Structures are given as C-alpha cells and as structure tokens.
Amino acid sequence: MVQDLIQIIDFVKQIDELKAVLRKTRPLGMERYENSAEHSWQVTLAALMLKDYAAQPVDINRVLRMLLIHDLCEIDTGDVIVYAAVGSAHEEAEAAATQRILGMLPHDMGDEYVALWYEFEASKSADARFA
C-alpha cells in the first residue's frame, strides 16, 4: 500500500510537466499559446456540460477519465496537430509515452488507464467518440 502511494505521488509529480507543453492554439482573446494541461481541463469540463447532448448514451465517468489522460503522452512527444499525427511514427511515440507515464501507476491502475487511452485513440465506442 505504501509503495502504491509512492508510485501515485511520483505519477502526479510527472504529470505536472504537462503544464509546460505548449499547444498550437491560443486561448480565446489571448496572445499566448495554451498549454496541454489547460486544454485537458477545458475539454473535460466541456464534456461534462455537454453530456446530455451526446448522440448516444455515454458513461460520463469513463469519458472524463479518457479526456484527462488523452494528452499525457505530450509530456514526452510535444503537441502535434491531430491531422499531422495520423498514420505516422508520432502515433507510436505517443503510445510508448502513454505506456511509460501511465506505467508509473500501480499495475492494475496503470493498465486500466492505458486501456482507456487506447479506446480513446480507436474512437469506436460511444464514450470515445464523445470524448
């Protein structure tokens, strides 16, 4: 149990680095670029507010977890516009980064979140499509 807490704390310290990853977009009305942590926060909150408008029923808890982890890989890979990353070596780098970062968590927890990340990337379930 203590080891699990140490792993979770190390993970939390690692994900703080997401705040330093600059995206290719600017917040509305601002000159600066947003960071990936801001992006993750905003899309997660937007999903929570829009859940009743989803085309199909969704499990909002799963959606929120997907959105909170979907860009953690950018700690290692940086931000790339989604259309530039499709079918590229960048996808492999993102998968490796996701496995490294989420692999810091206790085994069962890390595995659960890695599976959610892959589900999000595949965009086949109603939850992933909504996310």
Side-chain angles (χ1 to χ4, degrees):
M1 182 163 183
V2 171
Q3 183 58 36
D4 287 355
L5 288 174
I6 291 169
Q7 286 179 267
I8 292 168
I9 290 167
D10 287 344
F11 169 79
V12 170
K13 292 188 316 191
Q14 172 73 70
I15 64 170
D16 194 58
E17 293 182 27
L18 196 60
K19 297 172 188 173
V21 177
L22 294 181
R23 297 182 58 83
K24 309 290 188 245
T25 56
R26 294 183 169 108
L28 291 175
M30 296 185 190
E31 293 297 317
R32 69 173 179 84
Y33 290 94
E34 75 175 343
N35 67 53
S36 284
E38 291 172 309
H39 164 75
S40 294
W41 163 79
Q42 186 175 32
V43 298
T44 302
L45 191 55
L48 185 60
M49 297 302 120
L50 295 170
K51 71 181 180 345
D52 295 334
Y53 301 94
Q56 297 176 312
V58 295
D59 179 342
I60 194 62
N61 183 36
R62 293 183 82 250
V63 169
L64 297 178
R65 289 185 294 146
M66 284 179 193
L67 290 171
L68 287 169
I69 65 165
H70 82 282
D71 280 334
L72 291 180
C73 59
E74 292 181 3
I75 291 169
D76 290 357
T77 64
D79 178 48
V80 172
I81 294 175
V82 67
Y83 307 108
V86 173
S88 70
H90 188 76
E91 287 178 323
E92 292 175 22
E94 284 187 340
T98 297
Q99 290 180 358
R100 180 192 73 76
I101 295 164
L102 294 174
M104 296 175 72
L105 292 167
H107 188 66
D108 292 343
M109 187 184 294
D111 290 347
E112 173 189 354
Y113 284 103
V114 167
L116 277 174
W117 184 85
Y118 278 107
E119 182 180 340
F120 173 86
E121 289 294 307
S123 194
K124 292 188 177 170
S125 69
D127 292 344
R129 282 191 304 276
F130 182 70

